[in-house]
């Protein structure tokens, strides 16, 4: 009788251990994105223009170079940072300058941002400068977008902005 | 907070010991249970891997097939996989809290404590990786947030989150990588778990069989009643709105979103650092007592102290002056001055023909000579109105000085295993008391890990030094009632005295045996 009571108590304690596990492994639900909201993602991976010009190698420089490294021009490696601006319905939502990657700033610049915005129709302006020698924004995209609730709109860049 | 936590655990200990018996008490084997759950996850994971397809479309559909197409085995395996990992997460959390509450993380125990902190990260990483593989709404949620979380690290050049922009940016190779990680990280966890218990003598990595069987049965019941299911399939073209989360492992994720990835790194890395430094916090550092000392004149190199030290603080070397003999050596960095070695030393016998009792190894805080003197002095004061009891207790178990009376002498010491069995024999044989009672921490939950286990084994003649057969067992009691059991111990003493009063006198027993 005593052992039956003990096993019953064990069953209760096992239940008290596992039932909360069953519950908390999927409940309570977590609201990640409020209702009537959508997401806008910007993902740009682009190499800025090289800063500076290539210069011709003069005869004196040839002598300083090892035989296998002889070339007609010496070119700088550093690339321009990317200046990106996102304007939504006339308000600046994001503006940043992202340097080139690499120890010598000679790699690509990468930008990723996720924004939560209300669903509905918006006027979107994306512009980017990838050359410090040029003023303003050589790359620009302006569009009117209609977003459904929970829709994900991705703005990426490849020879120009594009929306997906 | 710590005292409150300790009180809570003590209450739960009593409750669980009553239901499970101390030998099966799950709270005394949280580490072993964690190992057990790991093996369940590993075995069920191998089964699930056989049917899992490592592709964008195949990942979700293959798991659905396992869950519903073969619910009787695959579905149960999947549920075991999920519930065992969650149970492991909870057991590990309780294990950390318990070791903290019971002050078992500093001194020589720092290694197990500190080596356990990276294991928490590996455990979480293993579980999170598993949830990605399902590729449902929850997987989509944690994939994007994990990527954004890692992108906050300055070492990341290309944003990982760019992998999850929309359906077109994800490739099948991503799932091959995930599977690789979901096998590799748990293997690293297993290696870490072995390192975690490396410096522990006789580590317990298997729970009691009855407890293991009960756990399996309970898990089978919940797996059949509420099988683990996937949520709606992931769709990167639509954002996750409301999602069911495994709050055991995914609780930091809402923080990443609301607090920002950088702040979450600071919080979690900061918390881990504080946990790692905890053993050396000035307020938490235990009082350092002088470590055990070996007396080469009285050490015969038997190695019993080496076998009994729970902290591997004793080793053997060539004897200082007896050629061809061994001698014990104490590592001061590992010794906690529990005195278990003194209780194991065959030289710790009051029957030895020496002018002054000494022994091969003893702790300066309570030398065996002093223990004998205190025993004799306290027993000499007792009245003979009732059977006299010698009560030995440990500083971490029931409070024995509270039980002291005109017929009960009580001595508390760092560990009950400090009492050599020969002392019990001596007290009864010299007619200093009618009974000896040794008490200490709860069975299976000794503060010094193995003290009460060694005493049990010595007194049941399974471990050296044994309690000699001539000692009448009815005059000796071992009671492991823990810190919360002082009142129960008091009742035990009264009961013991009553029984002794009714028992025949020792001299009568000897007459019977000699006659």
């Amino acid at each position: 009788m005593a052992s039956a009571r003990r096993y019953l108590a064990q069953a209760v304690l096992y239940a008290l251990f596992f039932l909360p596990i069953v519950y908390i492994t999927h409940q309570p639900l977590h609201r990640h994105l409020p209702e009537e909201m959508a997401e806008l993602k910007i993902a740009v991976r682009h190499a800025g223009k090289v800063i500076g010009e290539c210069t011709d190698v003069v005869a004196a420089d040839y002598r300083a170079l090892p035989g296998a490294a002889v070339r007609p021009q010496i070119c700088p490696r550093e690339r321009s940072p990317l200046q990106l601006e996102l304007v939504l319905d006339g308000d600046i939502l994001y503006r940043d300058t992202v340097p080139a990657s690499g120890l010598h700033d000679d790699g690509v610049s990468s930008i990723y941002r996720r924004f939560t915005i209300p669903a509905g129709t918006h006027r979107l302006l994306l512009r980017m400068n990838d050359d410090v020698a040029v003023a303003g924004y050589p790359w620009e995209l302006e569009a009117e977008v209609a977003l459904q609730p929970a829709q994900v709109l991705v703005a990426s860049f490849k020879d120009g902005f594009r929306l997906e | 907070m710590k005292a409150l936590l300790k009180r809570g655990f003590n209450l739960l200990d009593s409750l669980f010991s009553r239901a499970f018996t101390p030998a099966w008490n799950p709270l005394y084997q949280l580490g072993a249970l964690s190992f057990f759950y790991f093996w369940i996850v590993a075995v069920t994971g191998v089964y699930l891997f056989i049917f899992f397809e490592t592709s964008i479309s195949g990942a979700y559909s293959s798991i659905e097939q396992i869950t519903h197409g073969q619910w009787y085995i695959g579905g149960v395996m999947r549920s075991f996989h999920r519930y065992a990992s969650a149970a492991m997460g909870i057991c590990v959390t309780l294990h950390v809290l318990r070791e903290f509450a019971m002050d078992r993380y500093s001194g020589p125990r720092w290694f197990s404590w500190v080596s356990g902190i990276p294991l928490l990260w590996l455990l979480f990483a293993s579980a999170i990786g598993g949830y990605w593989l399902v590729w449902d709404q929850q997987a989509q949620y944690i994939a994007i947030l994990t990527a954004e979380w890692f992108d906050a690290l300055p070492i990341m050049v290309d944003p990982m989150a760019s992998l999850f922009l929309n359906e077109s940016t994800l490739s099948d190779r991503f799932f091959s990588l995930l599977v690789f990680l979901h096998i590799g990280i748990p293997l690293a966890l297993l290696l870490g778990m072995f390192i975690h218990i490396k410096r522990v003598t006789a580590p317990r990595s298997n729970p009691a069989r009855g407890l293991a069987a009960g756990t399996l049965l309970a898990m089978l019941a919940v797996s059949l009643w509420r099988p683990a299911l996937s949520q709606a399939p992931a769709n990167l073209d639509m954002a996750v709105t409301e999602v069911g989360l495994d709050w055991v492992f995914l609780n930091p994720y809402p923080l990443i979103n609301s607090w920002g990835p950088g702040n979450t790194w600071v919080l979690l890395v900061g918390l881990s650092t504080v946990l790692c430094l905890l053993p050396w916090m000035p307020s938490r550092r235990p009082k350092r007592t002088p470590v055990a000392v070996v007396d080469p004149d009285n050490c015969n190199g038997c190695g019993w102290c080496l076998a009994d030290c729970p902290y591997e603080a004793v080793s053997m070397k060539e004897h200082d002056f007896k050629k061809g003999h061994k001698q014990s050596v104490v590592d001061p960095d590992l010794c906690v001055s529990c005195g278990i070695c003194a209780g194991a030393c065959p030289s710790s016998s009051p029957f030895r023909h020496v002018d002054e009792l000494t022994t091969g190894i003893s702790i300066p805080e309570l030398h065996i000579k002093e223990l004998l003197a205190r025993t004799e002095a306290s027993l000499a004061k007792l009245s003979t109105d009732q059977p006299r009891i010698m009560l030995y207790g440990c500083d971490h178990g029931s409070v024995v000085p509270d039980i002291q009376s005109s017929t009960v002498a009580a001595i508390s010491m760092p560990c009950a295993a400090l009492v050599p069995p020969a002392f019990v024999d001596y007290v009864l044989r010299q007619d200093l008391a009618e009974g000896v009672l040794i008490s200490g921490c709860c069975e299976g939950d000794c503060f010094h890990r193995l003290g009460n286990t060694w005493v049990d084994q010595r007194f049941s003649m399974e471990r050296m030094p044994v309690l000699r057969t001539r000692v009448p067992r009815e005059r000796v009691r071992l009671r492991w009632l823990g810190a919360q059991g002082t009142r129960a111990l008091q009742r035990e003493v009264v009961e013991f005295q009553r029984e002794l009063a009714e028992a025949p006198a020792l001299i009568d027993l000897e007459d019977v045996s000699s006659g």
Side-chain angles (χ1 to χ4, degrees):
Chain A
M1 192 59 191
S3 66
R5 266 209 307 271
R6 177 167 282 169
Y7 284 122
L8 187 67
Q10 286 181 23
V12 171
L13 290 173
Y14 278 125
L16 285 176
F17 180 68
F18 278 106
L19 293 184
I21 285 180
V22 171
Y23 181 75
I24 61 170
T25 47
H26 68 289
Q27 291 285 338
L29 293 177
H30 169 63
R31 167 62 67 173
H32 173 58
L33 189 72
E35 282 180 33
E36 301 303 319
M37 298 296 275
E39 280 189 350
L40 169 62
K41 291 180 184 178
I42 300 175
V44 174
R45 191 175 186 278
H46 176 65
K49 295 278 189 302
V50 172
I51 300 172
E53 300 288 327
C54 294
T55 53
D56 291 333
V57 175
V58 294
D61 294 329
Y62 272 126
R63 283 193 292 276
L65 289 168
V70 172
R71 52 190 182 224
Q73 287 191 313
I74 291 177
C75 296
R77 294 169 64 179
E78 189 184 351
R79 291 184 178 275
S80 297
L82 298 188
Q83 277 183 287
L84 188 84
E85 193 172 273
L86 166 64
V87 181
L88 190 75
D89 301 325
D91 297 323
I92 295 174
L93 195 60
Y94 172 72
R95 178 192 281 163
D96 201 5
T97 302
V98 182
S101 59
L103 290 175
H104 301 282
D105 291 334
D106 56 349
V108 295
S109 299
S110 296
I111 300 167
Y112 167 85
R113 286 288 181 281
R114 177 168 58 89
F115 304 96
T116 301
I117 57 174
T121 306
H122 298 280
R123 193 83 200 154
L124 187 80
L125 172 62
L126 263 168
R127 47 196 185 185
M128 185 174 80
N129 183 326
D130 62 351
D131 190 351
V132 290
V134 177
Y137 294 96
W139 302 100
E140 197 170 289
L141 171 78
E142 191 164 12
E144 192 170 87
V145 292
L147 294 175
Q148 300 299 313
Q151 185 182 341
V152 177
L153 179 69
V154 178
S156 58
F157 185 91
K158 188 168 186 184
D159 303 326
F161 283 110
R162 58 184 180 181
L163 297 173
E164 295 171 83
Chain B
M1 187 191 87
K2 198 171 175 182
L4 198 69
L5 209 55
K6 187 174 181 175
R7 211 167 152 187
F9 271 117
N10 282 337
L11 284 172
L12 286 174
D13 284 355
S14 304
L15 175 73
F16 277 81
S17 279
R18 262 195 302 242
F20 285 86
T21 73
W24 285 14
N25 189 333
L27 293 175
Y28 297 161
Q29 29 202 320
L30 290 166
L33 271 176
S34 303
F35 264 87
F36 181 63
Y37 289 129
F38 177 88
W39 291 121
I40 294 176
V41 175
V43 170
T44 52
V46 169
Y47 181 86
L48 296 174
F49 180 62
I50 294 168
F51 300 97
F52 181 71
E53 279 184 41
T54 53
S55 64
I56 303 168
S57 57
Y60 185 84
S61 59
S62 61
I63 289 178
E64 283 297 280
Q65 172 59 25
I66 292 168
T67 309
H68 302 291
Q70 43 166 303
W71 64 268
Y72 45 88
I73 174 80
V76 170
M77 287 285 189
R78 183 186 177 193
S79 301
F80 264 61
H81 197 67
R82 177 180 293 184
Y83 295 143
S85 57
M88 184 180 175
I90 289 172
C91 278
V92 165
T93 308
L94 288 173
H95 183 50
V96 173
L97 287 173
R98 187 180 175 84
E99 299 307 285
F100 171 72
M102 302 293 180
D103 260 330
R104 296 172 185 164
Y105 59 91
S106 52
R109 284 171 153 149
W110 74 266
F111 181 81
S112 296
W113 177 266
V114 173
S115 63
I117 308 303
L119 298 187
L120 294 175
W121 284 80
L122 287 172
L123 175 62
F124 272 70
S126 302
I128 291 164
Y131 276 120
W132 278 32
L133 287 172
V134 181
W135 206 233
D136 59 359
Q137 290 280 294
Q138 182 178 235
Q140 178 179 338
Y141 169 79
I142 55 176
I144 292 170
L145 283 181
T146 306
E148 291 178 357
W149 192 46
F150 273 86
D151 288 342
L153 294 175
I155 53 167
M156 300 299 286
V157 177
D158 281 336
M160 202 200 304
S162 299
L163 285 172
F164 308 106
L165 292 176
N166 54 30
E167 289 289 298
S168 64
T169 53
L170 195 64
S171 78
D172 287 347
R173 281 200 299 177
F174 170 70
F175 284 91
S176 303
L177 175 70
L178 271 189
V179 167
F180 177 77
L181 287 175
H182 193 51
I183 295 170
I185 295 173
L187 282 177
L189 173 63
L190 181 63
L191 178 68
M193 284 158 66
F194 279 110
I195 293 170
H196 180 58
I197 57 171
K198 180 74 187 65
R199 265 173 61 169
V200 176
T201 306
R204 193 170 189 179
S205 55
N206 290 316
R209 281 187 189 171
L211 180 64
T215 299
L216 281 175
L217 273 176
M219 213 181 295
L220 179 64
V222 293
S223 298
L224 291 171
W225 173 61
R226 280 278 189 274
L229 299 173
S230 302
Q231 299 178 33
N235 176 9
L236 291 171
D237 292 333
M238 298 298 283
V240 172
T241 53
E242 201 169 41
V243 62
L245 289 183
D246 176 346
W247 292 96
V248 178
F249 291 113
L250 306 179
N251 51 70
Y253 279 83
L255 265 188
I256 297 173
N257 198 43
S258 56
W259 248 37
N263 289 336
T264 311
W265 273 116
V266 170
L267 176 77
L268 295 180
V269 172
L271 195 63
S272 302
T273 309
V274 169
L275 283 175
C276 280
L277 294 176
L278 213 53
W280 296 278
M281 294 277 182
S283 59
R284 300 294 176 208
R285 199 180 297 155
K287 188 180 71 155
R288 186 83 180 157
T289 47
V291 300
V293 177
V294 176
D295 177 1
D297 283 330
N298 289 281
C299 176
N300 66 8
C302 65
W304 293 355
C305 52
L306 163 81
D308 279 9
C309 179
Y311 304 99
E312 298 199 343
V314 180
S315 56
M316 305 305 286
K317 66 162 193 173
E318 282 302 311
H319 202 283
D320 283 349
F321 39 81
K322 289 181 195 165
K323 205 173 176 190
H325 282 73
K326 295 281 182 191
Q327 177 190 314
S328 304
V329 191
V330 175
D331 183 341
D333 290 334
L334 299 179
C335 180
V336 298
S337 318
C338 61
I340 292 177
C341 51
C345 183
S347 300
S348 301
S349 169
F351 293 110
R352 289 178 70 202
H353 298 291
V354 285
D355 293 336
E356 190 180 58
L357 177 62
T358 186
T359 185
I361 187 166
S362 200
I363 52 167
E365 192 187 354
L366 183 59
H367 191 276
I368 217 76
K369 178 177 65 182
E370 193 192 332
L371 179 63
L372 181 65
R374 283 173 61 183
T375 300
E376 288 176 332
S378 53
L379 287 171
K381 291 182 203 159
L382 298 187
S383 113
T384 51
D385 299 346
Q386 281 187 73
R388 293 160 299 167
I389 304 269
M390 181 63 238
L391 172 60
Y392 291 113
C394 90
D395 298 340
H396 311 282
S398 312
V399 188
V400 295
D402 289 358
I403 303 171
Q404 200 160 256
S405 70
S406 61
T407 53
V408 179
I411 297 177
S412 187
M413 58 198 81
C415 180
L418 194 156
V419 183
F423 267 56
V424 177
D425 191 3
Y426 180 78
V427 165
L428 296 176
R429 201 159 180 81
Q430 298 295 318
D431 201 21
L432 300 176
E434 279 68 47
V436 178
L437 201 158
I438 300 182
S439 76
C441 306
C442 287
E443 189 183 338
D445 190 42
C446 175
F447 181 83
H448 288 300
R449 298 193 56 245
L450 301 163
N452 47 20
T453 308
W454 291 167
V455 176
D456 277 337
Q457 292 182 2
R458 288 171 191 167
F459 281 58
S460 57
M461 305 184 72
E462 295 165 20
R463 187 176 198 86
M464 299 301 279
V466 298
L467 180 67
R468 296 177 70 173
T469 48
R470 69 183 182 191
V471 177
R473 271 24 190 196
E474 68 277 11
R475 294 186 177 275
V476 181
R477 277 198 183 174
L478 306 177
R479 286 293 179 269
W480 311 121
L481 299 168
Q484 70 277 27
T486 306
R487 276 190 190 171
L489 186 63
Q490 204 150 16
R491 288 195 295 272
E492 281 284 341
V493 169
V494 172
E495 175 69 13
F496 192 26
Q497 279 185 313
R498 194 184 56 75
E499 282 180 25
L500 287 171
E502 291 167 6
L506 271 178
I507 190 74
D508 297 342
L509 285 170
E510 281 184 3
D511 287 347
V512 170
S513 60
S514 62

